[in-house]
Amino acid sequence: MKETRIIKYIKSLIRNHKYLTTEDIMLMLEKYYNLPIKVPSVYYKYKKIIRECRQEVYKERRRAKRKRGGDGG
């Protein structure tokens, strides 16, 4: 996936908040990037992108946890 500004923003949201639902992220994208989330094609495109970003961020967390030695402390 290409690291665009929106994708970096989505990843930062996922990293910096305990848990945000896909809808929460969509609302933020609509607010800050004026995305027409009401349009089905846009909604499903970004739903897919958010899912992929979430997987990447979680993969990073697992990698970091493994590197730290499990419990993190």
Side-chain angles (χ1 to χ4, degrees), residues 54-68:
R54 205 182 290 280
Q55 287 174 348
E56 283 184 34
V57 170
Y58 290 173
K59 201 180 290 180
E60 287 171 14
R61 281 187 196 165
R62 282 195 304 274
R63 223 177 285 131
K65 195 173 183 180
R66 213 175 292 133
K67 203 173 190 179
R68 278 200 312 264

Side-chain angles (χ1 to χ4, degrees), residues 21-44:
T21 63
T22 302
E23 278 68 32
D24 293 336
I25 295 172
M26 293 277 196
L27 290 172
M28 289 181 181
L29 290 176
E30 189 175 39
K31 183 176 176 184
Y32 296 115
Y33 287 97
N34 299 320
L35 285 178
I37 295 300
K38 307 260 184 295
V39 178
S41 61
V42 175
Y43 176 84
Y44 288 110

Side-chain angles (χ1 to χ4, degrees), residues 1-2 5 11 13 24 41 46 49-50 52 58 62 67:
M1 185 176 1
K2 206 167 103 194
R5 191 167 42 126
K11 284 185 177 179
L13 287 175
D24 293 336
S41 61
Y46 279 93
I49 288 173
I50 291 169
E52 289 171 4
Y58 290 173
R62 282 195 304 274
K67 203 173 190 179

